[in-house]
Amino acid sequence: MENGTAIIFSHFLAREHGTSMTYLILILIMIISFLIHLVSFQALNVRGSGKSNRHQFQLPPGPKPWPVIGCLPQMLRNRPTFAWIHQLMKDMNTEIACIRLGSIHVIPVTCPNIAREILKSQDEAFSSRPDFMSSTLVSRGYLATTLSPPGDQWKKMRKILVTSCLSPAKHRLFYRKRLEVADNLVSYLYSQCKDNPEKGGLVNVRLATQHYCGNVIRKIVFNKRNFGKGMKDGGPGIEEKEHIDALFTILFYVFSFCISDYMPSLIGLDLEGHEKVLKENTDIVNKYHDPIIQERIRQWRNGMKDQEEDLLDILIALKDNNGNPLLSIEEIKAQITEIVLASVDNPSNAAEWAIAEMINQPKIMKKAVEELDSVVGSERLVQESDFSKLQYVKACAREAFRLHPMQPFNVPHVSTMDTTIANYFIPKGSHVLLSRMRLGRNSKVWDEPHKYRPERHLSNSDDVLLIEPELRFISFSTGRRGCIGVNLGTSMTIMLFARLLQGFNWSAPPGKSAVDLNESKIGLTLAQPLVALAKPRLPQALYQELTSCINHS
């Protein structure tokens, strides 16, 4: 798992090395494409001019596009694309823009008011998803939920998730599984410093947090933490590391502004290597998922299994009105992959950033730990039943979501009709990107937006929630396409963060006075995985008893 960033960065460097050649190839393709698409492009302009007579609003501001290819040349020259888009908007002093890539109008938004207009006032008009090579591949042809366009398949799968998989009742049913993984986390961290508890031990926090998230969702979906034997200290084995690395690589590439997403005629040429990377990593994920799914289906069909123990069992046991399996094998595989992908990144990233920020601001960490000591004490470990009383701890996690989102943008929303947003014309088929990065750091909304300050989320009466309905930042998406797994994501995030704080004192490694908070050059994660000094702070007997129980479970 600690190799995940290095793997993604190596892919990025290879892509950058080939960008100049890609750019030359694109120029040649542009000439050919111009001749091929000239007629249809002119027809589009004719239709567009006819429509422009029927509305009085202009497109949002943006760079002037080339014919046919739009601003793809500029995009290729300015990687990473999210940084280029945000710089364009800053230079134009706008909170909504229009950047045409190929024939698609890409509409980035950094203003909460405009975001609410999109996902609340006109939610239905922006309820579709883009048809990209990456999303087609990952969803096995749009058989699951999140990446699928609206329609019967989406309605079917979403209903299953809401009523059968991620309902409050199912969330309670899987409590023991989540608790087992939380206990394993503490035991694993203790193993990193038990040789000298007074001095502590160095912990790769990114590995630990990603390992925790992978364990939680594997336990809930497959009723197992490990695909292989795991490690004696409770850490990830080779199989789990490969699985998590593949998941994070897929998440990095699934909406990564690939040329062929905006010029579908280029699909198959794989000019930037995206298709190869995605296929390789989806194959890795399938290598671990598919045999378990196929064997479990066989067990149910042969009568060897008739009790539901995990999400996989639930999906297999679903029946239609005639008593036949409701889901095909491919639908089950696609939905399982989507659930796993949706569970691993946000909680782990938020916890890593929060610990890093708090090491550099020890007063904040002290206040959070004092709350844990007051509510929970030192004779037991924090439980989900304690969450309602941990307002400051939740405020710290919420602040990490605001300031340090995992992805620069949310999953694109596609407009299903011509409409108007913020007095700008938004054509049908536009891809709207809500900027998780700039919404949470908008100086018009947040005082000192680049400072980690949990107190901003506290009030005298309201319970601190990780969701943000007013879209001043995005932790869990909202609206018709909103996140179905809010309860699971919230529980995973708070438990992970609270166990890290309650179980251990955290500080910068020996010889360093602070943690480097620079962001990655290719994303919003820490540039380097957080490695911190952890010292056990609870009675030693508590850790030993916990480890003994896990070893005998």
Side-chain angles (χ1 to χ4, degrees), residues 532-551:
L533 184 65
K535 295 181 182 179
R537 57 178 305 274
L538 299 175
Q540 188 173 359
L542 187 62
Y543 300 103
Q544 293 172 340
E545 180 182 358
L546 185 66
T547 301
S548 177
C549 290
I550 291 173
N551 290 338

Side-chain angles (χ1 to χ4, degrees), residues 222 292-300 310 313 316:
F222 298 118
I292 299 174
I293 295 170
Q294 291 163 357
E295 172 60 19
R296 190 77 63 83
I297 290 174
R298 186 188 68 81
Q299 292 173 356
W300 275 88
D310 51 34
D313 285 333
I316 295 172

Side-chain angles (χ1 to χ4, degrees), residues 164-349:
S164 301
C165 295
L166 299 173
S167 66
K170 289 300 189 292
H171 188 69
R172 291 190 294 270
L173 179 65
F174 295 136
Y175 166 72
R176 288 292 172 188
K177 298 182 188 298
R178 298 193 299 275
L179 182 62
E180 175 192 316
V181 176
D183 289 346
N184 181 77
L185 170 70
V186 176
S187 177
Y188 166 66
L189 293 174
Y190 180 68
S191 73
Q192 307 302 300
C193 45
K194 67 180 181 180
D195 291 339
N196 196 335
E198 292 184 1
K199 290 186 177 181
L202 289 177
V203 171
N204 184 324
V205 179
R206 180 172 299 176
L207 184 147
T209 57
Q210 292 183 359
H211 173 46
Y212 163 83
C213 291
N215 278 351
V216 170
I217 200 60
R218 284 191 292 264
K219 187 67 179 178
I220 290 174
V221 171
F222 298 118
N223 200 27
K224 58 167 68 178
R225 295 197 313 266
N226 300 311
F227 291 122
K229 295 181 179 179
M231 302 295 287
K232 291 183 178 180
D233 62 4
I238 295 174
E239 297 87 352
E240 292 73 48
K241 289 182 179 179
E242 185 180 42
H243 183 240
I244 285 291
D245 286 344
L247 293 173
F248 274 85
T249 302
I250 291 170
L251 288 167
F252 181 81
Y253 277 93
V254 72
F255 292 116
S256 56
F257 297 96
C258 179
I259 300 173
S260 62
D261 290 338
Y262 305 102
M263 295 191 73
S265 59
L266 303 183
I267 292 178
L269 297 179
D270 200 12
L271 296 177
E272 295 184 288
H274 288 220
E275 294 178 48
K276 180 176 184 290
V277 171
L278 278 166
K279 288 177 181 177
E280 288 175 348
N281 285 276
T282 52
D283 284 346
I284 290 172
V285 171
N286 295 341
K287 176 180 70 175
Y288 291 111
H289 291 188
D290 289 2
I292 299 174
I293 295 170
Q294 291 163 357
E295 172 60 19
R296 190 77 63 83
I297 290 174
R298 186 188 68 81
Q299 292 173 356
W300 275 88
R301 288 179 176 175
N302 292 347
M304 300 168 60
K305 191 171 181 58
D306 58 7
Q307 296 295 318
E308 298 174 2
E309 296 180 309
D310 51 34
L311 280 182
L312 177 55
D313 285 333
I314 291 171
L315 292 174
I316 295 172
L318 291 171
K319 303 294 183 183
D320 63 17
N321 293 333
N322 298 318
N324 298 316
L326 180 61
L327 299 178
S328 68
I329 295 177
E330 288 299 298
E331 286 175 318
I332 292 172
K333 290 177 178 178
Q335 191 57 70
I336 289 293
T337 296
E338 189 174 275
I339 291 171
V340 173
L341 282 168
S343 304
V344 295
D345 57 345
N346 284 328
S348 59
N349 181 68

